[in-house]
Structure formats: structure tokens, C-alpha cells
Amino acid sequence: MCPITTVVPIRPDFSLGFLPVPSLVREVRAAVRALLVTAHRDDLVDDTLLLTSEVVTNAVNACRGSSCTALVTVYAKWMYGGALLVLVRDYAPGVPHQRAWAVDAEGGRGLDLIRGCATHWGVCRHGSGPGKAVWFRVAATARGAQ
């Protein structure tokens, strides 16, 4: 099941729509940091900001590469047990896929980062139109506490 069916209709605790402009990734990261700090969840800051940066940057790049100008939207919802579900929705065609990367490559490791830091994650389509939602869940046990 795609979390978009539970995050969007049920009011998210946080949502932010923005144009797919690379310079706005920093602003999105700052807004998510404020959400975590306000909730006194310093234990989730590092993993959540790393993954948010990765997924938002990928959404912005996908939009820019396909001339998509629709807003990218970030939703966050606190889940049972204190986990945070973050979902990034864009309207660019295609879905992320695992790529082979060279040791000195500057990109291509995004899904590896998500697999390593998130407790759960996935990609959902928006139905028959273009676009997708990439989501991940982080919890205190996401890394190091297991």
C-alpha cells in the first residue's frame, strides 16, 4: 500500500509545496529540521535530513530533466511509536531505479542511502498520469540503535 493514501487524505503533520528549483532544497531541509526540533526528536535529525535531501533533490532533478514545472510536495506524518513518515511527490515521468555506480561517481547512491537509513521505504505511482511519490519512514532504530 502506498502511504500517500494515508498521508494526504488524513491531514499530514507537515506539508510544503515548492517549485522544482535546486536552490530550494536547502529551504525544504530547514523546514523539516524545524519539524524535528519542535517535536524534540534530535535522534531522527541526521537520517531524516539526509534522506529528505536525497529524495527532494532527485524529485527536483527529475522535474528539471523533463521540463516539469508542477510543484514538488513534501508531506510528513508522525506515526505510531514515534516514527516519521516522509513522502515527496513530483509530477516528472518515470520512477527511481537502482543504478550501478563507479567508486568515484558523484551520484547514483541515493537508493543505497535510503535502504541503509530508512526503516521502510518505497515508490508509488500517481495513477495513470505522470509522477510518483517516494516515501520513507525513519525511527530511532533506523541506524545504530538496532
Side-chain angles (χ1 to χ4, degrees), residues 111-145:
L111 292 181
D112 290 338
L113 285 173
I114 294 170
R115 280 189 187 99
C117 296
T119 53
H120 294 84
W121 71 278
V123 179
C124 308
R125 302 283 304 178
H126 289 187
S128 61
K132 72 263 180 205
V134 178
W135 62 272
F136 61 88
R137 192 173 80 184
V138 290
T141 60
R143 190 172 47 151

Side-chain angles (χ1 to χ4, degrees), residues 22-80:
S23 62
L24 295 178
V25 174
R26 176 183 290 171
E27 303 301 324
V28 173
R29 195 171 45 244
V32 172
R33 177 185 296 276
L35 170 73
L36 293 163
V37 169
T38 300
H40 305 287
R41 291 305 306 265
D42 295 337
D43 58 322
L44 299 182
V45 169
D46 291 340
D47 287 345
T48 304
L49 295 182
L50 174 67
L51 299 181
T52 299
S53 292
E54 182 63 33
V55 175
V56 168
T57 298
N58 288 349
V60 167
N61 289 341
C63 284
R64 290 171 50 90
S66 66
S67 300
C68 166
T69 59
L71 294 179
V72 174
T73 307
V74 177
Y75 299 95
K77 176 83 176 156
W78 290 107
M79 307 300 288
Y80 179 78

